[in-house]
Amino acid sequence: MPELPEVETIARGLDPLLAGRRVISLTVLDRRVFPGDPEAFRRVFVGRAFAGVRRRAKLCLADMDNGAVIAFHLKMTGRLYVARPAAEPRAHLRVLIGLDDGRALHFDDMRRFGSCRGFAPGAIEAWDFFRKLGPEPLEMACGQFLDALAGRGGRIKALLLNQEVLAGIGNIYADEALFMAGIRPDAKADRIPRARLEALFRAIREVLCRAIDAGGSTIRDYRTAEGVEGSFQW
DNA sequence: ATGGCCCCCTGCGCGC
DNA sequence: TGCGCGCAGGGGGCCA
């Protein structure tokens, strides 16, 4: 159930592993999780080096040195990790990206809810879903948050889950933040006192930041525990 | 703008 | 005990 903090953790973990690495192959084992034409994407992707990995909303985005982007949405059961050369693929491996150091980026998704999309340089801006994403909760001011909810008569939880209002919050963190702020999930946004909404804003930040911190430590523990230098999974 | 419904898919739990 | 059916579960798309 990766939401903002989990995807942030994944992106931070993958970034140092992928940055500078060159892609030597793209293997789509299941076309259903790769909307679009793999061959067309291969032409702008294979042979390029990763510039870095970042998060936007619940998307994990890998930027290439030519501006191409590959976007992963993990949904419920998706996993994204760098596998060692000899590692046995998991049962539900869907996309495999071969790297120039012999390792590979694996996108694994048991239920195929997740997806993986490739974009030619500049093309991601034309992706409707991407373009419509609202502001990042951790990068906005409280006033902006209040503005986003102003005049909204819908249920507060539905609005928090709406990625066009706020980007990256899912079921778990919406519930947690609302509970912390003492707001019922079905309360109409425009009937919630301003002070309560300010408390909600603080709760969202706290819940997300705490989860990101926890994720980071989990990864460090995992790495040391496994002793697998350079491998990563959340 | 809002809410309701459906779908994505598969492991698991329940009932017989 | 074994089998098969039905549903959970996050998130997004579509429709009214």
Side-chain angles (χ1 to χ4, degrees), chain A residues 124-144:
Chain A
I124 196 169
E125 300 304 330
W127 182 21
D128 217 42
F129 171 79
F130 188 77
R131 214 162 23 83
K132 288 182 180 170
L133 286 172
E136 289 287 332
L138 292 178
E139 289 168 18
M140 71 197 299
C142 187
Q144 236 181 313

Side-chain angles (χ1 to χ4, degrees), chain A residues 13-72:
Chain A
L14 287 177
D15 181 70
L17 300 180
L18 293 181
R21 291 265 70 82
R22 202 161 286 278
V23 170
I24 60 167
S25 65
L26 167 68
T27 309
V28 176
L29 292 96
D30 189 322
R31 284 291 302 273
R32 278 177 287 181
V33 305
F34 194 96
D37 178 11
E39 189 46 45
F41 182 59
R42 239 176 237 121
R43 287 195 282 273
V44 297
F45 182 60
V46 175
R48 312 305 313 194
F50 285 99
V53 183
R54 66 195 158 106
R55 178 196 61 76
R56 170 75 171 114
K58 297 168 198 168
L59 293 169
C60 184
L61 304 173
D63 296 295
M64 309 310 293
D65 60 359
N66 63 346
V69 179
I70 185 161
F72 299 92

Side-chain angles (χ1 to χ4, degrees), chain A residues 2-23:
Chain A
E3 297 179 28
L4 187 156
E6 290 75 25
V7 182
E8 180 69 33
T9 298
I10 292 165
R12 286 184 190 179
L14 287 177
D15 181 70
L17 300 180
L18 293 181
R21 291 265 70 82
R22 202 161 286 278
V23 170

Side-chain angles (χ1 to χ4, degrees), chain A residues 74 77-79 92 94 107-115:
Chain A
L74 274 38
T77 52
R79 289 169 178 275
H92 307 292
R94 308 300 182 196
F107 175 56
D108 176 288
D109 189 1
M110 179 177 76
R111 294 196 176 171
R112 297 185 174 98
F113 280 9
S115 64

